[in-house]
Amino acid sequence: VELKSWDVFIDNSSALRKFLYLGVVEFLIGLYEEGRISIGKMAEALGKSIYDVQRILLRHNIKIKHDEDILSESANTAKTIF
């Protein structure tokens, strides 16, 4: 990967690290949207605080699930299982 533009000059390894990080963020956002991971787990995987992850989600226009949402989803899941 070689990035050379008028505004950005970045070495190959830095560009690759950035692309990998962005890919991981997108992957984790997908898992969060599916309800497969929590904000805490996402923060742990990214080495960020929960507040940083909330900002990332808001920048991607992802609704942050609150306790009521999580409890409602859990209740619905329990009803389908039992």
Side-chain angles (χ1 to χ4, degrees):
V1 176
E2 190 172 327
L3 294 179
K4 292 181 184 172
S5 72
W6 296 342
D7 297 332
V8 178
F9 290 94
I10 188 168
D11 63 283
N12 292 344
S13 61
S14 295
L16 187 55
R17 275 195 303 276
K18 183 69 174 177
F19 285 134
L20 288 173
Y21 175 79
L22 293 173
V24 168
V25 168
E26 292 297 323
F27 176 72
L28 292 173
I29 287 173
L31 293 178
Y32 177 77
E33 285 184 302
E34 294 171 4
R36 295 175 60 195
I37 62 168
S38 65
I39 286 180
K41 288 293 182 188
M42 191 172 169
E44 184 180 326
L46 293 173
K48 302 272 186 192
S49 72
I50 289 173
Y51 304 108
D52 291 335
V53 170
Q54 287 176 336
R55 283 190 286 275
I56 290 169
L57 292 172
L58 290 174
R59 268 185 275 158
H60 285 84
N61 296 317
I62 306 299
K63 181 184 174 210
I64 295 172
K65 298 177 183 182
H66 298 285
D67 291 338
E68 301 87 32
D69 297 334
I70 293 168
L71 288 174
S72 174
E73 285 180 22
S74 296
N76 290 336
T77 301
K79 286 178 187 175
T80 61
I81 292 173
F82 300 109

